[in-house]
Structure formats: C-alpha cells, structure tokens
C-alpha cells in the first residue's frame, strides 16, 4: 500500500507571535511529538521547501509580499490586531506554503497516496493584499491555483472545516467556477462573513457553499451537514482534486471556538472526504492544518485524520448522523441551492 505523506519540520516553530498568542509554536511541537510515533511503513515525512515568490504571487500582490518580507527587520510587527510577526515569520510563511505545494506535487506524482501538511502559520483568512486572523499567506488558495497552473487540473474542491469562516479563500475563488469552496463555521463569529446567501458571483455563482452553524454543534451536527450538503454538492461537482482547510478549533476543548466536536467527528468528516476523493479524484486529497488551539485536542484529532488516511474504509456509518438541530439550516441551504440544479 502506498504511504501517506506528512509535511512537518522544526522550522515551523520559528514564527513567534508573542507569549500569550494562541497560535503558538507549541502547536507544532505537539505535532512533532505525534509525527515521531508514526509507523514509517505507512507514512513518510516530507521535508518542506520555501515557496517561490511567484508561487505566493498566485494569490497575493507584489506590494503585500514585500510588506510581509519587510517585517523580518523587526522582532515584533503587527500586520493587523491579531496577526503579529517576528524576524523569522516571513521565512516560515514561505515554508508553510512551500510545504503544502511539496505535498501536492508528491501526491500528483503518485509518490504518496494522500497527505497532511502540518504547518503554521495558518492561511485561510489572508486576503490578496492583507494579513488577517493569524494568517500571512493563503496556503490553501495558492495550492488550488498551483494545481490548476502546474498540473492542469480543471476542478478543485476546497473543504474548510475550521471553526472560522475561510473568508480569504472564499474571496480568491468567488467568481471562479473551477473551484468549489465549501465552509462549515460557527456563525455569527469572526470574521463575520460566510452567510448562506454568499454563494459566489458571475461565473462562480453556485460554487461557494456556506454552512454557518450555531455555536454548540458537535459530531452529530457536522456529520449531518456533511451527509446532507457537502457530499451531494461534491458528487455533483466531481472534483479532480480535494484540498482540506483542516482547522481543529471546532474541538470541544478549544479555547477560541464554541463548538463541541471530538476526535471521532473529525475522523468521520475526513472519512467522508476520503471516500469522495476515491470516488471522483483517484484518491487525490491533501489536508492542510489551519487553526486548532488546544494542544491535546489538536494532537488527538490530527492522529484520527492520519489514521483515516491510511485505513481508507473507516466505518463512518458508526458516526450517528441525527443532528436534528441543524435541519432548518440544511433546509435553507438546499433551498438556496435549488436554482443551481
Ligand atoms: Zn480558526
């Protein structure tokens, strides 16, 4: 059986947003500990390379890249209220994107079966010309553009299950029918976007699907919306590749999120996406770490997803998909989607 790839590196510890910042180097320290326990017959560790400027330029303006680069002259720079850099942050930012692109290229070349990039800082809030919400460069959006440009892929699905709405990713593909962007997130919550009626624009209309969940949702609600909304939309789109903005801040222990997810819920969502990848994309799926600020919750949930990546046929039926609470929301989303049938 082909191995699953994991991108992780001690270099990711070097971005330091400050002692009391939740997006701290310890997140990667916890995952380096997990990586050490992996069975190397089933997993291979891929060392990252920094992304080139032209790769970053797939989603960001030259002036903005220069601004982030300039932050390496000072110990502490606030790009926005909660996006703080240190001297090494620009380099670590390039390495986060480069690690994900390395993973994509490895899967595309058939050298690994699928994979998970365990990198930081996260990326899904980053806009073309602005850092936001702990994010410097929009790694997942750059990954999708790279697939289109370097690998000639015509249809990419991005699933974002971070507790926050992936506004930067949504912006990148809002008018682009070649990228199906689906987000589950707590709502109303930071950054404020991601309502049901945000469905894309012009040629991209119908290719953005927002699933704004009330606080307090757990495994049952997430599995239910995956079953009723995510899977049918993905099947209709038939992606050639699936990219996952995997944030673990919907975990019940997370200090930022207000959700009740457990390790089993993340594993179940991963299994449903792995199944979609098998059915439509020749198994080609790459997971990217976004948020997730409780170290034990993060480590255990990533472990569950990694196991699913190798097992393939995890018994997802065992995840109880009742989630009655989200039935009105699902009804609303399906109603809005009627016109895109
Ligand atoms: Zn988040």
């Amino acid at each position: 059986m082909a191995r699953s790839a994991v991108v992780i590196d001690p270099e990711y510890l070097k971005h330091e947003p400050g002692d009391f910042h939740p997006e701290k180097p310890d997140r990667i320290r916890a995952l380096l500990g997990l990586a050490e326990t992996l069975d190397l017959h089933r997993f291979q560790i891929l060392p990252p390379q920094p992304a080139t400027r032209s790769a970053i330029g797939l989603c960001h303006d030259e002036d903005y890249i220069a601004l982030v680069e300039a932050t390496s002259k000072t110990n502490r720079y606030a790009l926005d209220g909660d996006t703080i850099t240190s001297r090494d942050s620009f380099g670590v930012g390039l390495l986060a994107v480069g690690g994900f692109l390395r993973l994509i290229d490895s899967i595309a070349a058939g050298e690994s079966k699928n994979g998970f990039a365990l990198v930081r800082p996260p990326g899904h809030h980053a806009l073309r010309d602005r850092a936001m919400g702990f994010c410097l460069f929009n790694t997942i959006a750059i990954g999708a553009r790279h697939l289109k440009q370097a690998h000639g892929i015509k249809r990419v699905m991005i699933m974002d299950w971070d507790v926050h709405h992936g506004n930067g990713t949504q912006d990148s593909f809002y008018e682009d029918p070649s990228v199906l962007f689906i987000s589950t997130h707590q709502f109303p919550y930071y950054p404020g976007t991601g309502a049901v009626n945000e469905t894309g624009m012009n040629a991209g209309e119908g290719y953005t699907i927002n699933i704004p969940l009330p606080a307090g949702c757990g495994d049952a609600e997430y599995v239910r919306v995956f079953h009723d909304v995510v899977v049918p939309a993905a099947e209709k789109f038939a992606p050639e590749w699936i990219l996952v903005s995997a944030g673990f801040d919907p975990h019940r222990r997370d200090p930022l999120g207000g959700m009740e997810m457990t390790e089993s819920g993340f594993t179940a969502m991963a299994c449903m996406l792995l199944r979609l990848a098998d059915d439509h994309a020749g198994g080609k799926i790459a997971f990217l770490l976004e948020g997730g600020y409780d170290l034990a919750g993060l480590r255990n949930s990533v472990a569950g997803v990694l196991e699913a990546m190798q097992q393939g046929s995890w018994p997802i039926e065992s995840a109880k998909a009742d989630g009655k609470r989200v039935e009105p929301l699902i009804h609303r989303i399906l109603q809005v989607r009627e016109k895109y049938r």
Side-chain angles (χ1 to χ4, degrees):
M1 196 199 309
R3 291 188 294 173
S4 298
V6 174
V7 173
I8 190 161
D9 197 282
E11 284 293 308
Y12 293 122
L13 300 169
K14 291 186 177 169
H15 161 59
E16 291 173 3
D19 289 346
F20 301 101
H21 199 288
E23 205 287 282
K24 51 191 183 231
D26 278 353
R27 300 176 65 229
I28 289 296
R29 214 165 267 127
L31 296 173
L32 281 165
L34 171 66
E36 276 173 20
T37 69
L38 293 175
D39 171 7
L40 296 179
H41 294 104
R42 301 194 302 146
F43 295 95
Q44 58 174 328
I45 308 289
L46 289 182
Q49 297 149 343
T52 60
R53 277 183 107 88
S54 68
I56 304 290
L58 289 171
C59 288
H60 295 283
D61 291 341
E62 190 48 49
D63 286 355
Y64 173 66
I65 301 171
L67 169 70
V68 181
E69 184 173 26
T71 67
S72 41
K73 296 195 191 95
T74 57
N75 268 332
R76 223 16 121 242
Y77 188 89
L79 283 163
D80 92 335
D82 44 31
T83 315
I84 319 292
T85 59
S86 56
R87 272 184 208 284
D88 290 320
S89 298
F90 175 67
V92 178
L94 295 182
L95 205 61
V97 176
F100 191 51
L101 298 185
R102 173 87 207 274
L103 174 63
I104 286 175
D105 290 343
S106 166
I107 298 167
E111 291 159 10
S112 14
K113 158 183 163 149
N114 48 34
F116 205 148
L118 300 172
V119 305
R120 62 185 282 276
H124 70 155
H125 296 305
L127 301 170
R128 171 159 279 282
D129 58 358
R130 190 150 71 89
M132 223 183 122
F134 315 166
C135 302
L136 300 179
F137 302 127
N138 197 319
T139 305
I140 201 106
I142 294 168
R145 291 248 161 88
H146 173 76
L147 275 173
K148 292 172 62 176
Q149 200 190 60
H151 297 282
I153 298 302
K154 303 264 189 295
R155 289 182 315 282
V156 182
M157 168 178 165
I158 297 177
M159 179 68 222
D160 186 328
W161 77 42
D162 190 276
V163 83
H164 303 97
H165 180 239
N167 60 301
T169 314
Q170 171 168 302
D171 260 32
S172 301
F173 305 111
Y174 210 54
E175 299 185 42
D176 184 348
S178 69
V179 177
L180 174 67
F181 174 68
I182 309 183
S183 176
T184 51
H185 44 273
Q186 186 173 328
F187 190 87
Y189 200 44
Y190 183 89
T193 47
V196 169
N197 61 6
E198 294 168 31
T199 55
M201 244 172 76
N202 299 328
E205 231 196 299
Y207 294 91
T208 291
I209 302 175
N210 281 301
I211 307 174
L213 298 164
C217 286
D219 298 351
E221 286 78 16
Y222 274 85
V223 169
R224 179 71 189 269
V225 297
F226 262 62
H227 181 271
D228 288 4
V229 180
V230 177
V231 171
E235 281 178 337
K236 183 176 171 224
F237 182 71
E240 296 170 88
W241 257 88
I242 299 178
L243 304 179
V244 187
S245 269
F248 296 92
D249 39 13
H251 194 282
R252 66 189 334 157
R253 292 172 51 113
D254 194 90
L256 299 194
M259 294 304 198
E260 293 294 329
M261 290 279 289
T262 71
E263 290 74 0
S264 327
F266 290 109
T267 305
M269 293 194 297
C271 285
M272 292 167 102
L273 295 172
L274 284 155
R275 170 105 28 115
L276 283 168
D278 277 343
D279 289 349
H280 297 282
K284 290 191 286 299
I285 180 167
F287 293 81
L288 169 72
L289 179 64
E290 299 278 4
Y293 306 99
D294 176 75
L295 298 182
L298 173 64
R299 180 185 159 132
N300 296 338
S301 303
V302 169
V305 172
L306 290 174
E307 199 48 46
M309 281 164 41
Q310 266 296 300
Q311 296 265 342
S313 60
W314 192 277
I316 54 172
E317 292 74 16
S318 68
K320 261 186 82 189
D322 42 16
K324 286 233 177 310
R325 212 187 141 189
V326 289
E327 272 173 10
L329 170 66
I330 289 171
H331 182 71
R332 249 190 326 130
I333 295 169
L334 295 180
Q335 226 169 14
V336 166
R337 289 197 57 71
E338 263 309 303
K339 63 178 164 194
Y340 306 120
R341 269 177 193 284

